[in-house]
Amino acid sequence: MKRLGLLLLAAVVVIAAGVAIFLFKPASLPDVSAAQAKLPAGQALIDRGEYLTRAADCVACHTTAGDKPYAGGLAFKLPFGTIYSPNITADKDTGIGNWSDAEFVRALHQGIDKDGQNLYPAFSYAAYAQMTTEDALAIKAYLFSLPPVKADAPKNELGFPFNQRYVMRFWNLLFVPSGPLQPDPAQTAEWNRGAYLVEAMAHCGECHTPRNLFYAVDNGRKFAGAELQGWKAYNISSDKRTGIGGWSDQQLFDYLSKGHAENRGAATGSMGEAVDFSLRHLTPEDIKAIVTYVKSVPPQTSTDKAVVEAEPAALTASTAYAPAADAATQDGLGLKLFQGACASCHGWNGEGLQTPYAALKGSRTVNDPDGTNLIQVILKGAHMTTPQGRQSMPAFATAYSDVEIAALSNYVLGHFGGKQSAITPADVAKARTQ
Ligand code: HEC
Ligand code: HEC
Ligand code: HEC
């Protein structure tokens, strides 16, 4: 018995030592010389880097509204605290101007900073881990070709134990792919290009795939939809009812490359940003490849109530300039507000008055009885850069009270989506804090 006890104790000591070595051993640097040798020189490298930096949408998270691109400072509210994106311009004091190629590649592939500290997965490195080393280096070359910006990001606000960065080493072991995405020989070149763009670059799953208990993307439910920062990133699997299985290739192509599609509404919130900063800059061939890949993702049913009804009775009975008699469904306040503040751009028949960007017919946002994204759009407004100029909707957060926005939302859902909803002023008050 005594012997067994000693053996057990020895085993525990050995395991504990192993874990300690794993947690505290300095992180090694990857060898990037082979990839460096394969890269083009000069402007060709910077151009390739610019395209890829856009495709990976680094700017969305590393820039605050109206501020210098890539200078960081954007807040990420996580369930366990707030962290801020760092400055990734080439400034030597406050940015990453002193980082070597190998240190940069390690950050993108393993989520480890210059000092060997682990980074948190609010930085989408679990996706970028699948990027080739050459592409990562091209991105660095582009970022380093821009003027450095001096700007310190605010300090992170994380309590114990979440401020213990080494804990992420276990997470990385479990959830971060090692090595670039391997092409699937059974699929076409277009599909493989789409897979690479979606998984290693555009990181669609970081927003659209639900997360597990450990905050890792749950690929068993790929693209089934998730909530982030007060918005729903809808189900984009090929499920016909709750996903985008009913969308034509053309609709998906238009939505991703222009930010709106006929009878599907507009991209707003962080999807609006993804289109504006990133997707609309990609070549038509690359968008087509993304469409091919996304449409091949197996259907996932979700419990989301946002099932789109394209032709609700009130909508089809209305003209662009006048609503059908549907005022009876509400107390009249919502209808009155829509008439005063919204109808001049959106019209009453869902086609949009000034521009097709304002078409609401068939949009999931006006079909979701929870009103999640609808309330956010009304509070924050929306905009999109287009070949016809900037399309925009003003923010109404300060113009209207919670009571007014709740009534307006219920009216919009009834009229444009044929949905019975019960959005309360408390729902709007909550949305204001997100
Ligand atoms: C979804 C948001 C998001 C995207 C997209 C994103 N980042 Fe980040 N990044 C962050 C956050 C947040 C941190 C800080 C994480 C932390 O403090 O642990 C970070 C950290 C970094 C760091 C570490 C810098 C330092 O000083 O420690 C580098 C380098 C970096 N990102 C580069 C990039 C590049 C290059 C891209 C595009 C390929 C990119 N990021 C895209 C959110 C993002
Ligand atoms: C930063 C988070 C984020 C990323 C990255 C992102 N999305 Fe989205 N996506 C959203 C949100 C939020 C919405 C809801 C937008 C709205 O209500 O207008 C959305 C909406 C959509 C829709 C519309 C679905 C519907 O039923 O109306 C499609 C299609 C879509 N995304 C595809 C993609 C694809 C493909 C990618 C990658 C190339 C991607 N998204 C990347 C957050 C994101
Ligand atoms: C100045 C014109 C204008 C006004 C006023 C306006 N909107 Fe908009 N709205 C737009 C445009 C343009 C878009 C598309 C923006 C984009 O593509 O980013 C939009 C988008 C939307 C969307 C998102 C559609 C989708 O498919 O996700 C909703 C919902 C919406 N508006 C509702 C309203 C409501 C309710 C009001 C009144 C409080 C209103 N809008 C006032 C122009 C306007």
Side-chain angles (χ1 to χ4, degrees), residues 183-319:
D184 179 348
Q187 298 282 358
T188 61
E190 184 182 60
W191 185 95
N192 277 303
R193 174 70 180 161
Y196 184 69
L197 287 165
V198 163
E199 303 296 344
M201 291 283 166
H203 58 274
C204 318
E206 290 280 315
C207 297
H208 284 282
T209 301
R211 288 176 190 269
N212 63 20
L213 270 179
F214 303 101
Y215 191 75
V217 160
D218 176 6
N219 275 322
R221 303 204 55 224
K222 197 178 188 64
F223 292 172
E227 274 201 58
L228 59 141
Q229 321 237 352
W231 292 76
K232 278 187 193 171
Y234 299 125
N235 181 340
I236 58 162
S237 74
S238 53
D239 184 59
K240 281 223 156 39
R241 228 170 66 85
T242 54
I244 58 167
W247 290 41
S248 68
D249 285 7
Q250 187 65 44
Q251 283 175 326
L252 189 52
F253 181 91
D254 289 345
Y255 187 91
L256 297 175
S257 58
K258 295 195 245 174
H260 89 101
E262 203 179 355
N263 295 331
R264 297 293 179 191
T268 59
S270 54
M271 189 67 205
E273 288 188 350
V275 173
D276 209 7
F277 295 145
S278 170
L279 298 167
R280 75 182 174 88
H281 301 280
L282 302 191
T283 62
E285 292 74 36
D286 275 350
I287 295 290
K288 265 192 168 145
I290 291 177
V291 169
T292 301
Y293 175 72
V294 169
K295 292 208 103 186
S296 77
V297 170
Q300 294 285 342
T301 20
S302 48
T303 52
D304 204 330
K305 288 165 275 174
V307 176
V308 174
E309 191 184 330
E311 312 262 314
L315 197 61
T316 41
S318 301
T319 68

